[in-house]
Amino acid sequence: MKIGIIGAGQIGRALAQKLVSAGYPVVISNSRGIESLQPYVEELGTLAKAGTNEDACDADVVILAVMWWHIPDVLNKLKKQLKGKIVVDVSNNFTKNGDSPKLEKPTGVIVAELIPDTKIVKAFNHLFGKWIEADPRVANGKRVSFISGDHPSAKETVGKIITELGFKVVDLGNLEQGGRITDVGNALSALNLVSYPN
């Protein structure tokens, strides 16, 4: 299964590293072009490739890891290519100034409305980039990754991938339910939780 990552900031790169280490082929893109990513993908090894946003959309699962204020424009251009795809939304509603204004709807719901013919799974947005970069295995426990989505089969696919990265997946239900507690400022936002075996 090939994974596309749109966005090569801290979170996009952290996930690329984890996916390649788990044996997944990855295509990663950014707004600055393929050449700007060549040194990075060479470090990742043969499973990683730099591409355009369109190249990333050709993957089996696509991770949306761009800044919140860029999302409408990016998705408007890629709407046709993303049709029918599983899209993992890791975004948070930060402005360019670092503020996080209150939204009427959860971020995952807003993204789903922008690309209605896709299967959105919200994941990783409650974790800081440095926590995603770190080893998800902590002593004999695993770092928790909350997911939510309106399509059970898509959540199952994404949950399997995240589990293979070493995280403990906790399903919070649909996008509305999950967003209300993991979006910025809510109960589970910015919590670095570890699940230990019974």
Side-chain angles (χ1 to χ4, degrees):
M1 181 184 295
K2 183 183 291 185
I3 312 294
I5 303 176
I6 301 173
Q10 184 181 19
I11 292 177
R13 290 181 178 230
L15 290 173
Q17 176 64 59
K18 289 283 189 291
L19 288 161
V20 166
S21 295
Y24 285 96
V26 168
V27 179
I28 187 167
S29 65
N30 67 5
S31 60
R32 291 179 290 132
I34 293 173
E35 289 301 318
S36 68
L37 288 169
Q38 288 299 348
Y40 175 66
V41 296
E42 288 173 9
E43 288 179 14
L44 289 179
T46 57
L47 286 177
K49 178 182 177 183
T52 64
N53 287 350
E54 289 76 14
D55 293 330
C57 289
D58 286 337
D60 302 293
V61 173
V62 180
I63 296 173
L64 180 65
V66 301
M67 296 298 186
W68 180 252
W69 60 89
H70 289 310
I71 285 179
D73 183 55
V74 169
L75 294 184
N76 184 56
K77 293 175 181 175
L78 301 174
K79 188 178 297 186
K80 289 182 180 179
Q81 278 193 273
L82 289 171
K83 186 174 182 179
K85 297 278 186 177
I86 295 174
V87 177
V88 183
D89 172 27
V90 304
S91 66
N92 279 307
N93 60 311
F94 287 111
T95 68
K96 290 182 180 180
N97 296 325
D99 300 324
S100 181
K102 187 73 174 177
L103 301 175
E104 292 185 6
K105 301 176 183 179
T107 54
V109 172
I110 293 172
V111 170
E113 290 175 349
L114 290 170
I115 42 174
D117 295 324
T118 60
K119 300 172 183 178
I120 302 297
V121 178
K122 194 77 181 182
F124 290 113
N125 66 306
H126 67 100
L127 294 173
F128 291 131
K130 62 183 179 181
W131 296 339
I132 299 173
E133 290 172 342
D135 189 340
R137 291 167 287 271
V138 181
N140 64 332
K142 295 181 178 180
R143 184 165 286 109
V144 170
S145 173
F146 297 115
I147 66 170
S148 58
D150 298 339
H151 302 274
S153 62
K155 283 197 294 184
E156 182 179 354
T157 297
V158 174
K160 180 176 181 292
I161 294 169
I162 295 174
T163 298
E164 290 177 355
L165 302 188
F167 293 85
K168 169 66 176 179
V169 174
V170 176
D171 188 344
L172 298 178
N174 62 34
L175 290 173
E176 177 75 27
Q177 293 167 331
R180 293 296 178 194
I181 50 179
T182 61
D183 277 355
V184 174
N186 293 324
L188 298 180
S189 174
L191 287 186
N192 186 16
L193 304 179
V194 177
S195 174
Y196 293 95
N198 295 329

